[in-house]
Amino acid sequence: QVQLVESGGGLAQAGGSLRLSCAASGRTSRIYGMGWFRQAPGKERRFVGDISRSGATYYADSVKGRFTISRDNAKNTVDLQMNSLKPEDTAVYYCAAALVAGRYEYWGQGTQVTVSS
């Protein structure tokens, strides 16, 4: 089992920045990739970006160039740096862990990000 806890959500103005963190515990040695997803009100959960154990990253087009994912394997943490925030970035953000590439099995509880115009 893997447990994930997000932190760092909150309120930001358009154009501002926020940094989210996700701490993993449990059988972290089995984690292959860690990702971030988000769910806006009334919409489906969507992929934001992810990072493999080797550090390779992949982002959704909607956040490419604005968001950056980093990972500290020694601390079992993954961060999401969000810059140039837009009101459409408002959502609950979830951290997820995959033991197999692309298969996210473990999820955090989510953290709210609200961007005002």
Side-chain angles (χ1 to χ4, degrees):
Q1 293 289 343
V2 174
Q3 295 79 42
L4 302 172
V5 178
E6 301 101 335
S7 61
L11 178 65
Q13 291 188 334
S17 298
L18 282 174
R19 189 177 184 91
L20 306 184
S21 293
C22 175
S25 60
R27 304 188 71 175
T28 56
S29 63
R30 298 184 60 194
I31 295 174
Y32 171 78
M34 296 187 73
W36 288 95
F37 294 74
R38 65 187 182 185
Q39 187 168 17
K43 296 188 177 181
E44 295 182 350
R45 188 175 300 184
R46 292 192 173 184
F47 173 80
V48 173
D50 63 9
I51 185 167
S52 69
R53 178 168 286 276
S54 66
T57 55
Y58 184 77
Y59 299 96
D61 287 345
S62 59
V63 306
K64 201 173 294 182
R66 299 188 298 121
F67 290 10
T68 302
I69 296 175
S70 58
R71 180 173 179 173
D72 187 328
N73 288 333
K75 295 182 179 179
N76 295 313
T77 58
V78 62
D79 291 348
L80 177 65
Q81 177 67 43
M82 304 184 292
N83 299 328
S84 302
L85 284 163
K86 304 176 181 180
E88 52 263 43
D89 294 321
T90 295
V92 177
Y93 283 71
Y94 297 89
C95 173
L99 306 187
V100 176
R103 187 186 302 173
Y104 289 95
E105 301 179 48
Y106 299 99
W107 296 84
Q109 81 284 357
T111 185
Q112 177 70 46
V113 170
T114 303
V115 183
S116 62
S117 58

